[in-house]
Amino acid sequence: MCGIVAAVSSRNIVPILIEGLRRLEYRGYDSCGVALHQDGELRRARSTSRVAELAANVEADHLQGGTGIAHTRWATHGAPVVNNAHPHFSHGPKAVAAHGREAVSDSGEASGIAATGRVGLVHNGIIENHDELREELKKAGYVFVTQTDTEVIAHLVDLHYDGDLLEAVQRTVPMLRGAFAIAVFCRDEPHRVIGARQGSPLILGVGTAPGTSETFLASDAMALAGVTDQIVYLEEGDVADIQLGKHWIAHADAKGIWRRAERPVKTVVAHSGAAELGPYRHYMQKEIFEQPRAIADTLDAVAGISPELFGDGAHRVFKNIEQVLILACGTSYYSGSVAKYWLEAIARVPTSVEVASEYRYRESVPNPKTLVVTISQSGETADTLAALKHARSLGMEHTLTICNVATSAMVRECAMAYVTRAGVEIGVASTKAFTTQLVGLFLLTLAIAQAKGRLADADEAAHLKALRHLPVAVQSVLALEPQVIAWSEAFARKENALFLGRGMHYPVALEGALKLKEISYIHAEAYPAGELKHGPLALVTSEMPVVAIAPNDALLEKLESNLHEVRARGGELFVFADSDTRLKAGEGVQVIRMPEHYGALSPILHVVPLQLLAYHTAVARGTDVDKPRNLAKSVTVE
């Protein structure tokens, strides 16, 4: 979601801050800003456009300095206007009294004293008790000029400031309820930035440039790619003090006493080249076509099926578990929904899939012999992390994650992990992360089946052969792109669409509908095909295109009957059918034939043309494919 970059350096750090924001654009944002310590005061530039415009504003205003903070904001409290954009400043009641209440220009930028301040701050997350804190601060004489919850933090730090910024932040943090990562600097301490995290990710970067003393803070290591590969992962509750070439980390004990904490410095290679667009028009298109390689890389270390692929001691855990609980959100939830079919059919283990944002708010029946599986592309999804902690609080300690980021909070929190190798995914609408999650979940299914003695040698060999052929099979599906483009021209003129699937292809239909609505803004819904007569059929007209996923499996005849129901109501069908099905194109029925039937792994193949359909429909409609409105890549708030 929001992104933070901060630095203290002996050189001008404006280029580093701006480039860091560019690397964080993939997370999604609707405003951005940067603030510098310059000529004894804090100065800033903010924009509701892209980072490129912010860079132009910074250059026009001649902003430069060795200490600064920068931010990309995804609006939660307050509209996405300049005045609500970060960084926020606090001026203190005395300054307000001297200058009067601030005016706000038509552009939304506060004028006069708002151009500078004593404390500057950027914030990711949500402060749940901001209303009550706001009232207390108003009584203390503070004037609020934004609609954000973040401004409360800036004023609290200013209120507590008495010459030591670290102490002011340490006094502020216990007053905040919610999830947050912050970076704060002060006019009176020109070579210092304080960071703190609780529920939102924040890392510290140790400078390595020859002849330069510098230290950094950022939301993730990619923001610092090419600047440093020496990374410290801050833990929950940490407060970090960064200065020229040095840093301290403090953590409060159970009594609230702050003590110095040692955190290891790790070498993390965040490949900046992953963000290059290359010959593709959008990152989403690039990432769709990267799927054969991403799947191959995810399977690269798999010589055979073994529970130890997921960590030491996995065999014992898998052998003794009685059920599986999958926790995930969005696209990851749909990958978990596919895995439920695999786990119950192949491993014969009862499996439930929960929307992570709902799970911890209901009464459930915990079983200590449950394997809790979390799925997350970023490994920082706030709802999923909270659901994981809730499951553990109920006594379910066997935890495992399927995740694309080896250094993420999710991997650190879980006892076991399988790290997919999709590479950096820039487009907000997930593609290659989804298919590699499915690969990891299929491996998990086979590993559990093996540990329980339910995987015959012949079946293991057949499944491994199918997995290794997947990259080639996906490449063949990508060759269908010209046919999908032809369909997209018809979809681009519609405002509604219906997706149908049966069995393990129903979650794939859900994913296809999600992709279409995310990036083309066409209202799309998905249903099990057997549910047509129970309501959705009322929506079917010639203006409602119906997409059907038709693999050649045991449910094909049932699906064919459902499709006849659509045609009888004048609906137009768009069918992705396996090559050996009897389904034929005709009036009101368009068919794209998949290269081959792929058995249990069929969902991985069938989702690819749905991704292409969503992508090309969005292109035809002229939407912002990689940065759809109102959405963020990494959802780090509840």
Side-chain angles (χ1 to χ4, degrees):
M1 197 165 272
C2 306
I4 289 173
V5 191
V8 177
S9 177
S10 56
R11 57 174 163 165
N12 176 29
I13 44 83
V14 168
I16 293 173
L17 296 180
I18 295 296
E19 183 59 27
L21 293 186
R22 286 198 181 100
R23 298 194 186 285
L24 292 175
E25 284 189 292
Y26 77 97
R27 299 166 72 99
Y29 67 106
D30 43 40
S31 64
C32 50
V34 62
L36 282 303
H37 197 290
Q38 183 175 359
D39 299 328
E41 64 180 14
L42 305 186
R43 299 182 61 196
R44 70 181 170 192
R46 301 182 289 180
S47 171
T48 54
S49 185
R50 295 303 181 195
V51 172
E53 182 185 271
L54 175 67
N57 293 343
V58 168
E59 184 175 359
D61 291 342
H62 306 292
L63 293 184
Q64 59 180 338
T67 302
I69 55 179
H71 191 261
T72 53
R73 174 182 186 250
W74 190 84
T76 53
H77 296 74
V81 296
V82 172
N83 196 50
N84 288 330
H86 299 212
H88 289 306
F89 287 166
S90 180
H91 324 290
K94 293 181 180 179
V96 172
H99 292 78
R101 185 178 295 270
E102 298 165 359
V104 178
S105 69
D106 292 338
S107 69
E109 173 66 271
S111 62
I113 190 173
T116 185
R118 181 166 73 165
V119 170
L121 179 143
V122 292
H123 161 229
N124 292 351
I126 290 177
I127 304 304
E128 296 173 354
N129 60 332
H130 69 98
D131 280 334
E132 58 193 79
L133 292 173
R134 181 183 294 256
E135 293 307 311
E136 293 176 11
L137 287 161
K138 284 181 177 179
K139 292 176 183 177
Y142 284 87
V143 174
F144 285 80
V145 297
T146 80
Q147 301 165 302
T148 69
D149 55 338
T150 302
E151 191 178 5
V152 165
I153 316 174
H155 290 326
L156 282 173
V157 174
D158 182 86
L159 176 68
H160 292 135
Y161 186 73
D162 189 23
D164 188 331
L165 186 60
L166 174 62
E167 182 180 328
V169 172
Q170 288 175 331
R171 293 179 62 187
T172 297
V173 164
M175 301 178 68
L176 306 176
R177 291 202 309 269
F180 57 86
I182 60 174
V184 196
F185 70 155
C186 180
R187 179 193 61 205
D188 301 337
E189 299 184 62
H191 303 296
R192 194 181 200 188
V193 175
I194 307 297
R197 67 154 297 186
Q198 184 68 55
S200 291
L202 192 67
I203 61 132
L204 185 153
V206 179
T208 57
T212 303
S213 296
E214 55 191 11
T215 316
F216 308 92
L217 293 172
S219 295
D220 65 40
M222 188 176 175
L224 303 179
V227 177
T228 181
D229 61 358
Q230 299 300 293
I231 302 298
V232 177
Y233 288 92
L234 300 179
E235 297 185 6
E236 287 289 280
D238 280 355
V239 172
D241 182 345
I242 68 169
Q243 299 184 32
L244 286 171
K246 54 188 177 181
H247 68 270
W248 293 266
I249 298 171
H251 193 96
D253 62 20
K255 296 181 179 180
I257 299 174
W258 291 93
R259 303 185 186 280
R260 184 162 184 175
E262 298 295 333
R263 306 286 182 242
V265 178
K266 299 182 178 181
T267 300
V268 177
V269 180
H271 295 289
S272 58
E276 299 301 326
L277 191 56
Y280 298 97
R281 186 171 177 181
H282 298 93
Y283 285 109
M284 183 179 179
Q285 184 186 29
K286 175 177 182 277
E287 288 152 12
I288 289 171
F289 278 84
E290 285 176 340
Q291 287 177 112
R293 169 51 56 192
I295 291 170
D297 288 346
T298 297
L299 291 167
D300 185 55
V302 181
I305 301 303
S306 168
E308 269 57 47
L309 288 169
F310 297 87
D312 295 339
H315 186 279
R316 176 184 54 79
V317 173
F318 292 176
K319 182 179 180 179
N320 294 320
I321 60 168
E322 295 178 351
Q323 60 188 41
V324 173
L325 169 63
I326 297 175
L327 303 172
C329 298
T331 286
S332 296
Y333 173 79
Y334 296 145
S335 68
S337 299
V338 173
K340 173 182 170 69
Y341 287 90
W342 291 336
L343 284 159
E344 295 194 342
I346 298 173
R348 311 299 298 170
V349 176
T351 300
S352 58
V353 187
E354 296 268 1
V355 176
S357 58
E358 294 292 324
Y359 169 68
R360 67 189 175 115
Y361 295 113
R362 71 174 185 84
E363 293 293 331
S364 58
V365 182
N367 180 346
K369 291 189 176 181
T370 297
L371 176 65
V372 179
V373 178
T374 63
I375 311 171
S376 171
Q377 183 272 326
S378 67
E380 305 290 350
T381 308
D383 287 318
T384 308
L385 282 167
L388 169 65
K389 293 177 182 177
H390 177 67
R392 291 174 60 184
S393 74
L394 297 176
M396 294 184 286
E397 291 295 332
H398 302 309
T399 58
L400 182 150
T401 190
I402 306 291
C403 182
N404 193 45
V405 182
T407 54
S408 66
M410 203 77 72
V411 173
R412 297 196 301 273
E413 290 285 339
C414 287
M416 295 172 284
Y418 191 84
V419 178
T420 57
R421 297 176 64 184
V424 175
E425 194 176 60
I426 304 294
V428 166
S430 180
T431 53
K432 61 180 180 175
F434 177 74
T435 48
T436 53
Q437 284 173 354
L438 288 175
V439 169
L441 288 163
F442 193 74
L443 288 171
L444 175 63
T445 299
L446 299 181
I448 292 175
Q450 185 190 78
K452 289 185 170 296
R454 298 168 185 167
L455 185 66
D457 291 345
D459 291 336
E460 178 181 341
H463 288 312
L464 278 172
K465 182 179 179 181
L467 281 167
R468 290 182 178 128
H469 182 61
L470 259 181
V472 174
V474 172
Q475 195 68 56
S476 298
V477 176
L478 290 168
L480 300 173
E481 185 181 34
Q483 298 176 58
V484 176
I485 292 173
W487 283 12
S488 70
E489 294 170 359
F491 273 77
R493 298 190 294 271
K494 307 297 184 180
E495 293 301 326
N496 302 280
L498 191 63
F499 287 69
L500 302 177
R502 299 207 69 150
M504 63 183 174
H505 293 86
Y506 166 50
V508 173
L510 287 164
E511 172 63 9
L514 177 62
K515 285 292 158 284
L516 189 67
K517 72 180 75 170
E518 277 183 309
I519 61 172
S520 74
Y521 314 144
I522 292 173
H523 174 246
E525 298 293 339
Y527 286 90
E531 285 292 292
L532 263 178
K533 293 187 291 294
H534 298 280
L537 201 56
L539 296 171
V540 174
T541 69
S542 60
E543 291 302 306
M544 171 75 84
V546 178
V547 179
I549 304 166
N552 190 12
D553 59 16
L555 293 171
L556 180 61
E557 290 186 359
K558 297 289 186 183
L559 178 63
E560 286 178 320
S561 297
N562 303 137
L563 302 186
H564 286 304
E565 294 167 355
V566 172
R567 282 301 301 135
R569 275 76 180 178
E572 187 172 6
L573 284 163
F574 296 81
V575 185
F576 291 104
D578 282 348
S579 58
D580 50 358
T581 63
R582 299 183 305 276
L583 293 169
K584 295 181 180 180
E587 184 180 355
V589 181
Q590 299 191 46
V591 179
I592 290 179
R593 297 199 178 278
M594 302 287 284
E596 56 186 305
H597 175 57
Y598 222 65
L601 291 169
S602 175
I604 297 176
L605 295 194
H606 271 276
V607 78
V608 174
L610 300 181
Q611 296 168 347
L612 288 170
L613 179 62
Y615 169 74
H616 286 291
T617 300
V619 170
R621 288 169 68 96
T623 62
D624 191 343
V625 173
D626 289 328
K627 301 181 182 70
R629 67 189 183 203
N630 305 331
L631 299 179
K633 183 66 179 173
S634 180
V635 183
T636 56
V637 297
E638 184 177 358

